[in-house]
Each structure stands twice: as C-alpha cells, then as structure tokens.
Amino acid sequence: MYSLCIHPGYAGPPFFTDDPQPVDFKHWEFYISSVNILHHDNWSGTSPHFELNYGLVRDLQVHLLLPVNYNYTPHQGADFGYGNTEFGVKYCFIHETENSPQVGIFPILDIPTIKNSEFSTGKTQIFLPVWAQKSWGKLTTYGGVGYCINPGVTYRNWIFTGAEIQYEFSPAFMLGGELYYHSADTEGSKSITACSIGGSINFSEKFHFIFSVGHSLINDNFTSSYIGLLLTI
C-alpha cells in the first residue's frame, strides 16, 4: 500500500498537494472527511477521519488528525481500525507580495497509537515538506516537495512533490486540479505519478463541502477520492 493512501493529514484537503497558508490566529478548522483508494479490487482509506487545525500564534497553526482506517477486499470483507495519530505544525515564514510567493513548512509526525499491523507500521514516521503559493486575482497555484523518514526493515524513505492550480468562479464555488509524484515507499514497490481534480462549495462563511477525484498516470492503476465537510470558526 502506498503511503499516500494511509496518510490523509500529509495532504491539503481535498488534494494530496498542500499549501503554506496557516489557519488565521485564534481561528479553527474542523474536518470530517473520508479518503478512499480503489486499487485493483481492494478499497482502502479512512471512514472517516477527524482533522483539527488551530491558529496558535500568527503565521503558525497546530494540526491533529485522528483516522478510522478501513480495508475492504470482496472475498475477505472489511477490516476497520485505528492505527496512527498525526500531529503537525505549519509555519509560514515568507509572506506573498506582488512579485514573490508565500512560503511555509509543515512538519508532521505520524505516531503509532494502537498496536495494529493492518493500519500501522509500528514506527513513527516524519514528513518534512516545504510549500509555496502565489495568487493572481481569483487564480491561485501552490505546490512543493516533501521528504518522509519511513523507518522499518522493508520500508523506504520517500519523496512527494506536487503542483496544484485553482480558480474561484464565485464566492461559493472553487475548482482546481493537481499533478503529483510519490516515490516508492517499500522494497519492491514503484514510484507513481497521478492527478486529481476537485474543489469546494461554500454554503456559508463557516460551512463548506470539499471534494476531489483522481487517478494514477504512471506505474499503477488506482482511483482516489476525497469527500468532506469543513467548519471554519
């Protein structure tokens, strides 16, 4: 199984690529979401996961994600379980100007919480990305690269890089797409390149519906999806 399938918190909902923008100071984001991967005849993902982001100080947010993982194969049925807790800190150290992008880091710890070999390697993983973003009116693009320290006998450290572009058609609707690369994370596996399209529907300033669907392009054949509700306070 690829790391991108089991680490939704490494991503920027509803995409796998993230941005450098922290939650505003003293503000909150609450997500209830599900990430799903169809790989041949196997379904895996979260059903659901709960994500919390808080603007602790200016230009810095803390992040917590609690996933209920699942794995389903037609002949074996479904397994559910809790494997890892994700904790991270997003920090923006360069602000966007007319001629330069916004830049930030978002280190994340993926911490084994319950002994469960189905949904956890039993080792703490560390993801170290750098993200950048630039906007021109209603058009925004962001992306970057991250390195994951992935300990274990048969596991390999991996690299993720991605780029996303989106357009705000109205205050209620945004649509975008991404292209990303994920290197092999275990012995014998292959790197992948994939794409996604998705967006958000804003029912109000506080309540949002976010979604995406994607597919592999190189070295594998899988379909991904993200669906979630976001409350901003």
Side-chain angles (χ1 to χ4, degrees):
M1 182 180 294
Y2 291 102
S3 292
L4 66 88
C5 303
I6 57 175
H7 298 305
Y10 290 1
F15 298 106
F16 290 110
T17 306
D18 206 349
D19 63 67
Q21 178 67 53
V23 176
D24 291 339
F25 179 44
K26 293 185 178 181
H27 285 256
W28 298 83
E29 289 181 342
F30 300 93
Y31 293 86
I32 301 177
S33 308
S34 178
V35 172
N36 303 280
I37 306 290
L38 174 59
H39 186 243
H40 302 298
D41 62 347
N42 174 259
W43 283 95
S44 61
T46 62
S47 184
H49 66 262
F50 304 90
E51 182 178 347
L52 169 66
N53 298 313
Y54 177 66
L56 184 63
V57 297
R58 297 190 188 281
D59 298 324
L60 184 146
Q61 76 172 44
V62 290
H63 159 84
L64 181 67
L65 188 142
L66 310 173
V68 179
N69 303 98
Y70 80 91
N71 192 32
Y72 172 76
T73 303
H75 300 296
Q76 297 180 353
D79 292 319
F80 293 86
Y82 187 92
N84 295 342
T85 299
E86 291 187 2
F87 176 78
V89 177
K90 180 182 283 190
Y91 174 61
C92 173
F93 58 89
I94 297 178
H95 290 274
E96 182 176 350
T97 67
E98 183 178 352
N99 298 314
S100 64
Q102 181 183 40
V103 182
I105 57 174
F106 192 6
I108 291 176
L109 295 176
D110 198 52
I111 305 167
T113 308
I114 298 174
K115 189 174 181 180
N116 188 337
S117 59
E118 178 76 14
F119 302 110
S120 174
T121 66
K123 305 286 186 179
T124 297
Q125 299 176 352
I126 305 174
F127 186 54
L128 303 170
V130 178
W131 303 113
Q133 175 177 298
K134 189 73 177 73
S135 297
W136 299 269
K138 297 182 178 181
L139 183 68
T140 299
T141 185
Y142 58 82
V145 61
Y147 182 77
C148 182
I149 301 171
N150 186 26
V153 176
T154 61
Y155 297 95
R156 298 172 57 179
N157 297 346
W158 49 268
I159 294 172
F160 176 93
T161 184
E164 190 266 6
I165 187 168
Q166 65 187 43
Y167 188 81
E168 183 181 351
F169 289 88
S170 74
F173 179 64
M174 179 276 291
L175 189 65
E178 68 171 337
L179 179 68
Y180 60 90
Y181 166 86
H182 190 296
S183 68
D185 56 14
T186 62
E187 293 182 1
S189 65
K190 297 180 179 180
S191 62
I192 60 167
T193 301
C195 63
S196 301
I197 58 172
S200 63
I201 299 173
N202 304 317
F203 299 112
S204 68
E205 291 185 359
K206 296 183 177 181
F207 191 58
H208 319 270
F209 173 73
I210 51 180
F211 62 93
S212 69
V213 62
H215 200 276
S216 55
L217 299 174
I218 298 175
N219 281 344
D220 207 347
N221 184 17
F222 69 84
T223 301
S224 64
S225 67
Y226 180 105
I227 185 170
L229 296 175
L230 166 63
L231 177 64
T232 54
I233 300 176

